[in-house]
Amino acid sequence: MCQRALVDEIYRRLNEIDLGAVELFHPDAEWHWPANAPGQSVYRGHEQVREGLMLWRESWGDFQMVPQELLESGDDVFVKARYQARGAGSGVEFETTIGHLFRFRDGLVRCWWMFGDAEKARQRFLAGDRPD
């Protein structure tokens, strides 16, 4: 599966609350949450990524990620995505744009970074400034 198709599949499965989406991640995967996010900031390996996904999903009653822009460069794919959510406990509706950077290895997601400032992350991606 090509990287673009894999990213589309990740969003489709996560929007359907399919935690089996973890099979699209490399066994040594790392999922990096924004530094200002509460709790654990990096989830490593299938078990921790699945735990992170469960925590993420439990926080939201309704949650959709809508990719708006996708840029590819080598093994990296940047996605500017619109989040539309409603808090599970509060019922508060939330809408924002987030940046995601996926790095692939062996046809699977090796690293996934989330950025609160999507435009800044996009500009850094275009400039070749990528996390290690």
Side-chain angles (χ1 to χ4, degrees):
M1 183 180 299
C2 76
Q3 292 174 173
R4 181 177 293 260
L6 186 56
V7 168
D8 288 342
E9 180 68 4
I10 289 167
Y11 285 115
R12 185 189 70 74
R13 291 177 74 172
L14 293 180
N15 284 336
E16 293 177 357
I17 314 173
D18 178 358
L19 298 179
V22 74
E23 73 187 21
L24 303 173
F25 289 75
H26 193 278
D28 296 326
E30 293 182 359
W31 180 17
H32 298 258
W33 286 28
N36 62 349
Q40 190 169 334
S41 61
V42 180
Y43 293 84
R44 291 181 172 87
H46 282 175
E47 185 176 327
Q48 284 190 5
V49 169
R50 186 176 292 108
E51 287 173 20
L53 290 172
M54 289 186 329
L55 288 171
W56 196 20
R57 297 304 305 187
E58 289 171 1
S59 299
W60 305 105
D62 292 318
F63 188 88
Q64 290 291 299
M65 295 183 289
V66 182
Q68 296 181 314
E69 180 179 23
L70 191 142
L71 304 169
E72 293 183 80
S73 178
D75 292 333
D76 294 340
V77 176
F78 174 81
V79 180
K80 192 173 181 180
R82 188 90 182 141
Y83 280 20
Q84 299 167 321
R86 184 180 45 79
S90 68
V92 172
E93 292 190 12
F94 175 76
E95 193 168 323
T96 192
T97 301
I98 299 290
H100 289 162
L101 175 60
F102 297 93
R103 178 162 296 145
F104 291 87
R105 185 171 72 196
D106 302 327
L108 298 169
V109 175
R110 172 61 178 88
C111 291
W112 177 18
W113 291 271
M114 299 168 59
F115 303 100
D117 187 333
E119 189 53 35
K120 181 179 177 182
R122 180 184 180 278
Q123 292 303 318
R124 289 180 67 182
F125 181 83
L126 291 171
D129 182 8
R130 317 269 165 72
D132 293 327

